Amino acid sequence: MTGPVRPEDVLPDDVDSGVLNGVEVRKGSVAAFVANARRLDDLRPGSPERDAVLAELRRLVPALRAVGVLDVFAPRSAALADVIAGA
């Protein structure tokens, strides 16, 4: 392939998920991970909401690995780095 890769080259508009490197990845996985990562530092440790956000982040880590996001970006927060390392 020559030229830049466009979103529709990875997943066409009418497709909601695809298998990348053996992992099913849904459209929106990266955006959901980022949204939850941003919320993490604002939530009180041990709270049900934080626990739910942590669980969702852990669930999404394989998709981010499959896409290659974690090969080119590093987390800023230690809490998020711990989530990624433990998933």
Side-chain angles (χ1 to χ4, degrees), residues 8-84:
E8 58 270 24
D9 296 332
V10 178
L11 286 176
D13 289 339
D14 61 338
V15 176
D16 292 329
S17 66
V19 177
L20 301 169
N21 297 316
V23 177
E24 184 171 359
V25 180
R26 289 183 45 92
K27 279 187 179 175
S29 295
V30 173
F33 186 90
V34 169
N36 284 309
R38 287 181 171 166
R39 295 183 62 210
L40 187 60
D41 288 335
D42 295 332
L43 299 172
R44 184 176 47 81
S47 70
E49 188 175 9
R50 182 180 171 96
D51 291 344
V53 167
L54 286 168
E56 186 61 15
L57 286 166
R58 286 185 197 101
R59 189 183 75 76
L60 291 168
V61 167
L64 269 70
R65 283 195 177 116
V67 171
V69 170
L70 301 177
D71 295 333
V72 295
F73 295 105
R76 288 187 195 176
S77 89
L80 186 58
D82 289 345
V83 167
I84 293 167

